Amino acid sequence: MKKTIVYTLVISLVTSACQQRFLDLAPKAAYTDNTYFQTDAQFKQAVTAAYAPLLDLMNNDFYVSEMRSDNTFYQSALANRGTALVFRENISDFKDGATNSYTAAEWQYLYQIISRANIVIARLKTASGLSAASVNSYDGQSKFLRAFAYFKLVRLFGGVPLFVEPVKDANGAFKPRATVEQVYQQIITDATDAIQELNAPAKFPQTGEATKGSATVLLADVLVTLQRWTEAETLLATLPAMGYGLQADYASAFLPANKNGKESLFEVQYLDGTTTGTTPNPLSFNFLPRSTNTTLLTGVAINNSGAGGVNTPTPDLISAYEPTDKRLDASIGITEGTYNASNLFTFQAVKSVVGYTTPPAGRVAVPYIKKYLHAPLTALTGSADNFPIYRYAEALLLLAEAQNEQGKSPLAALNAVRNRAGLLNAQAADQATMRQVILHERRVELAFENKRWYDLVRSGTAITTLNAFGEKIKAQANYLPADGRIVTPFRLLFPIPAAEVGLNPLLTQNPGY
Amino acid sequence: MRNLFFLLPFKTGVLLGCILICRLSPVNAQPATGVVRGLISDNTGPLPGATVQIVGTQTGGVADANGRYRLTVAPGTYTLAATFVGYARKEVKSVNVSAATERVVDIQLGAGEGNQLQEVTVSYGRQRRREITGSVATLDASLLQDMPVQQFAQQLQGKIAGVSVQQSSGQPGRGVDFRIRGAASFYSDNQPLFVVDGLPLTGSINNINPNEIESFSVLKDASATALYGSRAANGVVLITTKHAKAGDAKIEFNASYGVQKLPDNRAPNVMNAQQYATFMNERYQDIRRYENPSAVTPAEYENPAQYGAGTNWYKLLTRAAPIQNYDLTVQSATEKSSSTALFGYQEQQGVLINTGTRLFSGRLNKDLSIVGGRVKLGFGLAPSYRIDHNNRLATDGVGGLFERIFEASPLKAPLNADGSYNRDTYSPGMVAYINPLAQFNLTNDDYKTTRILGNAFLNYDVVKGLQLKLNAGIDKGNEIRHYYQSGVVSSTVNNPNGTSSATDNGSYTAEGYLDYTLDFRTDHHLNLLAGYSAQKFTQESNTLSGLGFPNDDITYLTAATSVTGSSNYTAYSLLSTLVRLNYSFKERYLLQGAFRRDGSSRFGTNRQYGNFPSLSAGWIVSDEPFMKRFRQINFLKLRTSYGITGNNFFGNYVAQSTTSNYYYNFNNVITQGTTIGNLGNPNLRWERSRQFDLGFELTLLNSRLNLTYDYYFKNTDGLIQSRPLPTSSGFTSILDNVGALAFWGHEITLNTVNVSRPDFRWNSSFNVSFDRNRIKALVDPGYIRRNNTVTSDYFRNQVGHQLGEFYGFVFEGLYRDAADLDASAKYQATATAPNGLSDIGTIKVKDINGDGVIDDVNDRTFIGKPTPTFTGGFSNNLTYKKFDLSISTAFSVGGQLLNAAKWAYQTNLDGSRVPLAAAADRWRSLDSPGSGVYPRTKTGTTGLGRSVNSQWLENASYFTVKNIALGYTFGLSDRSALKGVRLYASVQQALVLTGYSGMNPEINFAGQDATLGLKVDENAYPIPRTFAVGLSATFK
């Protein structure tokens, strides 16, 4: 009897041990959160993953940051009223609602950056075996990315839910909105930490990672937005010592060959090709009229009929360039051709925008963004052009602004930018005039760099400028809806995506939507 | 085989006594010198214990353990009658008995008509029908063989109450879905568990040749399914394959050939060239009249009269397609061994051009009995090979190939003058879709699937009453895909792309259990089953994609200039213990308890084990003495059950947070990033269903009428859903237990023998079920919508509502005139644009919140319900002399269908697609307002027409004659090797009676997954009608 009991016990022990092994299956083609975040290389990869959503972000950012301004509009697509097209137009026309999918995508990718940064920041706190240099680098890059994302969010949507720890379960995913002040506080803390932890570029061209310079200009931009001029000026003054400077000529600042060069403070990194993980930049041909064949401009037979026809430079912007400004020809081109009844363009000629008047009979002329288009492209999927987030030229203009607002002369910084564009020095003027001069300089220098909407809002000129512009552009493009381009104060903030509000009872919608 | 004496101990003595009396006490004064002997059987084998009587005499006897009887009687001509409890009495007339030779008369008793002693397959074993306390429906597959179909699921349509089988797509070899008792789950599978010869399948059911199947048992309630524990919540379908019966030695050959054709009257009537040119011409006239006086009509539309019918893309892309089946079955069996070999070939070409499927299948079943019957062992092996050609392309739904038919202009020719494909077959104003004929013909997507099902068993009688049973099975699959799309039709022109992928998967199941039977104190019968089961599934897959093919000559990736790819591995395991106890008293009072404990690798670490108990009871009322008065009642059983089952059909590692790879570039080099990509949930558990069932089975009028009724109520909680998370969390969803659903319903099955004469027999089978469901609970915000885009947000699953209730605007006609427009709410009206997107002649919808403005968020509501009032089927089988006729029908009454295909795609008045001819009758002016159904074409105002409104709903009722088959059996001489030849002609999908204006009232764009939407028609592959002739021949 005793023997039986012993045998039974032994057998049940053995089988229960087997049982556990039999049922504990971990994936072999991926890590789990228990097995990852052990080595330096794994943390480096986790930081890389936090950069990745920038690529998706740039595919949406120009809708909310550039097309909502007087810099660009869209080409007619009246033959197709599918929501994919209508939603794009709605943002530009100030007719967008909370269900707009491009606003929702902007929101989602910004928060994806934040979430991945949160994972790194939290895991670093308990990591062992990493050098102090690694911890500083990974924490600093993550905090830069988190600050960058929240800075965009707070300007687009106002006070947003503030996630600074990784979400671990369903309950942790539902948060109410923080106040605008709380969000800015977090941005400043993160950017300050990042400046502390990151190094200045070790060499030019840089790697493409965020540096002390990136964090510095980001914080300066935040401080300028908050009108903390003195602090901004102090910060911006540290940049030249890090090796930054202007490229000799404006157009070359955007050449793929000059990626991450001395003018670059931070840019989104693209590569062309078709190998796994390659992310070519599709924007250059999406900014062309919708067509089944863009060869004339891109050098390869790209069909951009789905995503094209957006971010077309406005006549208003073209006329904003001073007569000898080299930046006009570097930024904008004109293409001639014809539209068919399906709103598809046939490219027939490429012309310089400088001095361009009217197209020959039977053709239409469409301006396009030339700055990021370096034909011939090597693949149908896109180019190797990086997308600038901060250039040294902008740092100079931020400095000029901070100086002007403190009653100091902004001319040195301002004229450095103007001279590079082939323009004469700006003359000294009173503070208010100079404020307009700097705003105008930002418009042409930073055209299509997704700055214009924020500049208009923070300068308090968005409503008057854009309403006046709306009247003009509606007269120029008869396909624009008559009730569009009417800007009322509530439109200075975008609606919180309806799906978020619908899902999360703690969230409140912005007024007016 | 079975042993009735063993199972029916209390009767044994009586019966043996009877045999003795019969044999020892001849009542006839004449010397009994003649002998009649033979075998009494039913379609499943011998019937030990059956009674044989010589009519008009006292002579009779009982079949022995092998079903054999032997009677001695004086020479003469007699009528023999065989009876057995639960079977209809059968008489054999004009039996000549002479003194010289023994006369052999084999009698087969009819199957199916309430033969309560017939054993049927149940979970983990077989059980006599009368002893079953759960809700189990069985079907003899031999009655289904005339259908020219390639999936056994199609044979089961309308056959079993509570089992909904719907053909939601006509894709060859695909598109059939099962749903038992309305089973639904938000995330997990809704399909029942399929078990073939005791082996739970882990792969698809598509590779099973219907001809291999002998019978189906469908387990519906919790007590019937509980032994399958965490996989049983959707019901279980047990499939028994063909096994030879003792005495068999035969070869059967079946062949059928048919032609499938789409019913012409259901094809959408799209505008032809002249009609479309006229429509566009008028559209430009209206643009000039109302919007832009300088708009120019494109030259193509200036003179519509110049066009005739133009290109009929529907005709070009569809065809009459052959379907054929050939099967050879070789069977032989002795008392100790039995073998069955089957070979099948099936081929079905699609009614859409350049699609089709072929299946080669085989099965070998071998059973052996040794050591005097104490050891029984056997194995089955079923290899199959399927070639799918283009039938898995996204032909259905949005952007599917079928929709493409309506996206090509009738003004355009499919081919250029030089015979090459014209890529751009759109007319001015249409979206630039690509020539669908070229898409169909220049896309190649082949899947080759090899599958091996194998099982082996060993049963060992340890001591009397105790049996050890061991089962092992494998389900091995391998699939390779070769995809290539020519640059002529690639979305970017001249950018051919190819994919090569392969999947290797396999599972094994190993089970051991003890089966103990005990009879005590005469009336008590006990059966105990206890066992252990382990199952593991693994799958490895890889996929390679190539770009940069120089031309279409070589379509393999060797010709690609760039290739990218990935590979993957996944696995799950299941470890279970199970116990079942059956107890019966006087064979009249039945009790069953079952329990299974499942451990699953899929569940969260905190919830790895689940317990699944069930209890059921039966009472055979008709055996009570007080029932003797009711002589018309042959059999009456009441039964009830309650139990808990689970659903674990979801992804393998979803409970764990896993990493994913994301790419970025540093230093101009692709850099791999890796971080948490899936938010795990360690508390994730299986969905739990608690089901109650109450039913009865009644047999009347000498077993000619059989009625089965069941009421069920099922509460499913812990519903798993890929729960949307605010994207501000950085994740879009988490797999979570989010809510509860209730299902309830009534099921009625009525089988009748209407006429039973030797030369004319007519059986009917009718079933109907009333299934209801309601969402009882959901996490915040209490509903799940289909997606965030209003135009395709077809339905909403919301607490207090049915699954899949349609959600949208309420149609109120068109704005009649300025006064009507003035007085009504308008779409997206603002202070600066008081008419918003509305105008006279555009769609008017109800202002639900009464704020004077129509908007997407506040003015949509629940507008209809997809759930039918009742569904069912009615089948009739008639034999007259050598003719036989069977008619099967299926019906569904009540409920609505959302015809998205018609309104969102086929009547798009922007002119971006070719509309239905009916849309010519649209609003054009106050004087020409049209029928009031189709709005005006004003630019920008047609947007609302793409959002769901109540105009899209139609009555979903239908009555379908699924199959009509007429056969003739040739009489052949006994000496011929050819024992039987039957010829038949059959029509599948013979007739569809419905008020629905679309192609297929059974359609569902998401199969039968209630959580992805029910009864939504989004351009599915239509179901063809099939005319077939067939032959079956038996050689002995």
Side-chain angles (χ1 to χ4, degrees), chain B residues 686-999:
Chain B
W686 56 97
E687 293 178 1
R688 181 175 68 160
S689 286
R690 288 169 295 175
Q691 188 171 186
F692 168 76
D693 188 287
L694 180 66
F696 67 82
E697 287 157 37
L698 176 66
T699 305
L700 296 174
L701 306 173
N702 200 17
S703 299
R704 286 177 65 161
L705 191 149
N706 260 283
L707 177 69
T708 307
Y709 166 83
D710 277 282
Y711 166 78
Y712 70 90
F713 189 93
K714 183 162 74 164
N715 246 322
T716 303
D717 61 24
L719 276 172
I720 293 171
Q721 196 213 338
S722 178
R723 178 182 175 187
L725 291 181
T727 54
S728 50
S729 67
F731 299 94
T732 52
S733 63
I734 186 171
L735 217 55
D736 205 356
N737 302 98
V738 298
L741 276 170
F743 305 88
W744 65 99
H746 307 268
E747 295 164 355
I748 299 161
T749 306
L750 183 65
N751 293 317
T752 56
V753 180
N754 305 326
V755 180
S756 177
R757 293 209 298 260
D759 57 353
F760 181 43
R761 202 170 164 79
W762 175 18
N763 296 354
S764 296
S765 175
F766 174 83
N767 72 75
V768 62
S769 48
F770 302 79
D771 298 301
R772 297 287 179 271
N773 65 68
R774 174 149 303 156
I775 301 168
K776 304 294 274 187
L778 274 180
V779 290
D780 281 342
Y783 64 84
I784 302 166
R785 61 173 144 211
R786 181 176 174 228
N787 62 32
N788 296 323
T789 308
V790 175
T791 47
S792 52
D793 194 14
Y794 298 144
F795 63 88
R796 189 169 276 196
N797 285 321
Q798 182 162 327
V799 173
H801 292 262
Q802 298 177 356
L803 282 165
E805 271 189 54
F806 302 122
Y807 196 81
F809 294 105
V810 177
F811 184 68
E812 289 192 326
L814 308 178
Y815 295 101
R816 287 186 309 279
D817 47 34
D820 187 20
L821 182 66
D822 240 27
S824 313
K826 291 163 279 280
Y827 187 46
Q828 293 183 356
T830 60
T832 46
N835 283 347
L837 290 178
S838 298
D839 207 337
I840 302 165
T842 69
I843 289 174
K844 179 166 114 180
V845 297
K846 192 171 174 188
D847 180 17
I848 287 166
N849 70 346
D851 66 351
V853 178
I854 305 297
D855 69 272
D856 290 342
V857 178
N858 299 309
D859 292 311
R860 295 188 302 145
T861 185
F862 288 98
I863 54 174
K865 298 179 180 180
T867 313
T869 313
F870 58 89
T871 57
F874 183 43
S875 305
N876 282 283
N877 290 291
L878 298 96
T879 52
Y880 175 70
K881 294 191 172 161
K882 293 185 169 173
F883 287 96
D884 58 81
L885 175 70
S886 70
I887 301 170
S888 355
T889 65
F891 55 83
S892 172
V893 174
Q896 286 167 308
L897 227 157
L898 186 79
N899 197 345
K902 178 174 174 181
W903 296 98
Y905 306 106
Q906 294 164 17
T907 55
N908 184 319
L909 295 175
D910 287 336
S912 57
R913 292 184 180 88
V914 182
L916 292 178
D921 190 21
R922 69 197 176 282
W923 192 97
R924 292 198 60 208
S925 66
L926 287 175
D927 299 331
S928 166
S931 59
V933 173
Y934 301 103
R936 65 191 286 183
T937 57
K938 185 179 174 183
T939 311
T941 61
T942 52
L944 189 58
R946 296 186 190 184
S947 294
V948 179
N949 73 49
S950 51
Q951 191 181 21
W952 298 22
L953 294 175
E954 294 190 42
N955 188 330
S957 301
Y958 64 86
F959 176 81
T960 306
V961 180
K962 281 286 161 195
N963 183 269
I964 303 175
L966 177 65
Y968 181 80
T969 306
F970 290 89
L972 293 160
S973 105
D974 277 357
R975 275 170 298 188
S976 156
L978 189 57
K979 288 295 182 238
V981 173
R982 182 167 165 271
L983 283 178
Y984 65 90
S986 165
V987 189
Q988 181 74 12
Q989 197 76 5
L991 178 71
V992 183
L993 296 177
T994 179
Y996 180 57
S997 68
M999 294 197 80

Side-chain angles (χ1 to χ4, degrees), chain B residues 194-202 228 453-455 472-475 507-509 535:
Chain B
F194 292 92
V195 179
V196 177
D197 290 338
L199 168 70
L201 289 187
T202 52
Y228 290 101
L453 288 180
N455 70 303
I474 54 155
D475 181 350
S507 72
Y508 67 81
T509 307
Q535 186 173 42

Side-chain angles (χ1 to χ4, degrees), chain A residues 19-20 22-23 25 29 31-33 36 45-46 81-82 107 111 116 207 259 269 274 277 303 342 483 500 502, chain B residues 429-430 491 562 564 568 573 575 601 608 656-659 662 664-665 667-668 672-674 727-728 781 833 946:
Chain A
Q19 273 181 20
Q20 214 44 53
F22 189 76
L23 291 181
L25 299 181
Y31 295 94
T32 68
D33 57 347
Y36 203 64
Q45 284 189 293
R81 296 286 83 202
W107 169 283
Y111 268 114
R116 292 187 191 162
T207 60
K259 272 184 185 187
Q269 311 284 315
T274 51
N303 176 342
S342 299
D483 61 334
E500 298 284 299
Chain B
M430 288 177 69
S491 61
S562 85
T564 54
N568 208 343
S573 54
L575 201 60
S601 67
Q608 211 158 31
Q656 307 177 51
S657 287
T658 49
T659 61
Y662 308 93
Y664 197 67
N665 316 296
N667 283 319
N668 268 333
Q672 189 186 66
T674 304
T727 54
S728 50
R946 296 186 190 184

Side-chain angles (χ1 to χ4, degrees), chain B residues 17-93:
Chain B
C18 175
I19 291 168
L20 287 173
I21 291 162
C22 293
R23 290 206 173 151
L24 296 177
S25 317
V27 290
N28 202 311
Q30 278 187 294
T33 51
V35 171
V36 191
R37 65 178 176 83
L39 173 74
I40 306 194
S41 61
D42 69 359
N43 66 325
T44 65
L47 289 172
T51 309
V52 189
Q53 189 80 26
I54 294 176
V55 178
T57 74
Q58 298 284 315
T59 308
V62 173
D64 66 13
N66 296 317
R68 303 208 170 266
Y69 72 94
R70 183 187 167 90
L71 301 176
T72 48
V73 67
T77 302
Y78 300 98
T79 295
L80 248 65
T83 53
F84 196 42
V85 187
Y87 287 77
R89 172 187 166 97
K90 184 146 183 182
E91 293 192 353
V92 181
K93 289 182 177 150

Side-chain angles (χ1 to χ4, degrees), chain B residues 268-490:
Chain B
N269 183 12
V270 181
M271 287 181 178
N272 66 22
Q274 193 181 80
Q275 290 166 326
Y276 182 63
T278 307
F279 168 78
M280 290 303 273
N281 182 294
E282 292 173 354
R283 187 169 178 273
Y284 280 92
Q285 285 176 32
D286 292 350
I287 290 175
R288 279 193 295 276
R289 179 157 30 161
Y290 299 112
E291 301 175 53
N292 175 8
S294 60
V296 180
T297 305
E300 287 90 332
Y301 305 133
E302 266 168 9
N303 178 18
Q306 67 179 302
Y307 300 109
T311 305
N312 184 333
W313 292 96
Y314 182 83
K315 282 237 156 66
L316 271 181
L317 294 163
T318 58
R319 63 179 175 186
I323 179 169
Q324 44 196 317
N325 294 315
Y326 304 95
D327 291 298
L328 185 70
T329 311
V330 181
Q331 290 188 306
S332 73
T334 64
E335 304 262 314
K336 290 184 175 170
S337 108
S338 130
S339 63
T340 297
L342 284 110
F343 306 94
Y345 173 69
Q346 301 175 310
E347 183 181 324
Q348 180 181 11
Q349 292 184 27
V351 289
L352 287 186
I353 59 167
N354 202 21
T355 61
T357 184
R358 284 185 288 165
L359 175 68
F360 302 83
S361 63
R363 172 171 281 277
L364 188 64
N365 284 339
K366 180 81 190 166
D367 301 322
L368 207 60
S369 166
I370 54 174
V371 200
R374 281 186 64 193
V375 175
K376 294 195 177 74
L377 56 105
F379 65 85
L381 197 63
S384 62
Y385 181 65
R386 181 183 278 285
I387 303 170
D388 282 333
H389 176 59
N390 283 3
N391 66 346
R392 299 195 206 173
L393 288 171
T395 48
D396 295 18
V398 179
L401 286 178
F402 194 71
E403 181 187 316
R404 296 281 179 247
I405 288 178
F406 311 104
E407 295 175 341
S409 169
L411 273 61
K412 298 285 180 177
L415 300 176
N416 296 317
D418 64 0
S420 62
Y421 285 105
N422 174 14
R423 177 184 154 101
D424 298 324
T425 50
Y426 61 95
S427 288
M430 288 177 69
V431 176
Y433 297 114
I434 300 162
N435 182 343
L437 183 70
Q439 286 191 64
F440 273 69
N441 281 331
L442 298 180
T443 305
N444 182 80
D445 193 17
D446 286 345
Y447 285 86
K448 292 174 181 166
T449 314
T450 307
R451 182 95 177 272
I452 298 170
L453 288 180
N455 70 303
F457 70 90
L458 174 83
N459 294 349
Y460 171 56
D461 293 336
V462 185
V463 293
K464 185 177 186 310
L466 179 66
Q467 203 174 40
L468 171 70
K469 298 182 173 184
L470 300 172
N471 281 338
I474 54 155
D475 181 350
K476 186 88 190 75
N478 188 297
E479 184 167 271
I480 190 154
R481 178 186 187 202
H482 171 222
Y483 172 86
Y484 180 79
Q485 188 185 42
S486 163
V488 176
V489 294
S490 53

